[in-house]
Amino acid sequence: MYEMTVAIDLRDEISEQELAELCWHLGIGPRPERLSIITQFPVVVEDESGMPVIEDDPYPLLAGHGAAWQVGGVLCSELAPRANQPRNGWSLTSRQEVHPDEFEKVGELLRWLATKAHGRHRLGDGTVRVGSLRFYETDVPEVLQVESGQVNWPT
C-alpha cells in the first residue's frame, strides 16, 4: 500500500464536463452521465453460466475520505477555484491510499491532470510534478511525476 499525495494547480481551460468528472473522481460530486477523462473501467466477472466476461464498472479514483487504513492520518480530496489569484484555474489536493494494482487506472487520471497543469509544475524537459508517493513502511516520500506521458510508479 502507498500513500499518494497529489498537489497540483490546474489551468482554467477545463470544460464543465471534465470538471464534473474530476469532482466525481475526488468524491466531491455525483457521477456524470458521460465520462470523458477516463472512459473505460473494465472488470472481469462471471456470467450466469460461470464464464468470464468483461464488464464496465466505473468508480471514482481519488474518493477516499476519513481515516486511512494503513498509511495513517486522513484520506481526503479537495478542489478549489483560483479566482483572483496570479494563476486562475483550480487547485487540487488529494491524499489517498493506493495499491499497486490501481497504479494503471490512477495513472490515467494523473496523466490527464498533467496535461492540464499550470506551467509552474512543468520542468524544463516537460516532466510534470504532480505530488508524492510513499510506501507505507517508509518515512520519506518520492516525487510523483509524469514524464513523456508515463507516471514514475515504483518498479
Side-chain angles (χ1 to χ4, degrees):
M1 190 65 71
Y2 287 82
E3 171 195 51
M4 181 182 73
T5 302
V6 177
I8 191 166
D9 293 331
L10 306 172
R11 296 185 314 272
D12 59 359
E13 301 108 29
I14 298 173
S15 72
E16 290 296 319
Q17 169 65 33
E18 292 170 327
L19 188 59
E21 184 173 344
L22 181 56
C23 286
W24 173 66
H25 278 298
L26 298 174
I28 57 175
R31 179 179 160 194
E33 258 184 57
R34 185 178 66 82
L35 299 177
S36 60
I37 298 172
I38 300 173
T39 58
Q40 297 181 347
F41 291 79
V43 62
V44 178
V45 298
E46 287 185 8
D47 65 13
E48 302 81 34
S49 63
M51 296 298 297
V53 294
I54 297 176
E55 291 184 356
D56 193 39
D57 188 19
Y59 60 95
L61 297 169
L62 303 177
H65 286 82
W69 181 64
Q70 258 186 323
V71 300
V74 174
L75 306 180
C76 57
S77 289
E78 187 67 40
L79 183 67
R82 295 188 54 82
N84 303 317
Q85 301 216 8
R87 294 179 309 278
N88 286 336
W90 300 91
S91 289
L92 182 153
T93 298
S94 181
R95 181 177 186 266
Q96 301 292 312
E97 289 181 312
V98 180
H99 188 276
D101 290 348
E102 299 172 297
F103 284 176
E104 183 179 336
K105 192 55 65 183
V106 171
E108 286 184 59
L109 183 58
L110 295 179
R111 288 191 301 274
W112 180 84
L113 289 170
T115 68
K116 304 296 183 181
H118 268 290
R120 68 180 297 263
H121 298 285
R122 195 170 306 279
L123 304 176
D125 64 358
T127 299
V128 179
R129 293 174 302 202
V130 294
S132 63
L133 189 71
R134 178 184 67 84
F135 184 62
Y136 81 100
E137 292 180 336
T138 64
D139 294 326
V140 180
E142 297 179 30
V143 174
L144 184 60
Q145 54 194 20
V146 177
E147 181 179 3
S148 302
Q150 299 297 317
V151 179
N152 67 323
W153 297 115
T155 53

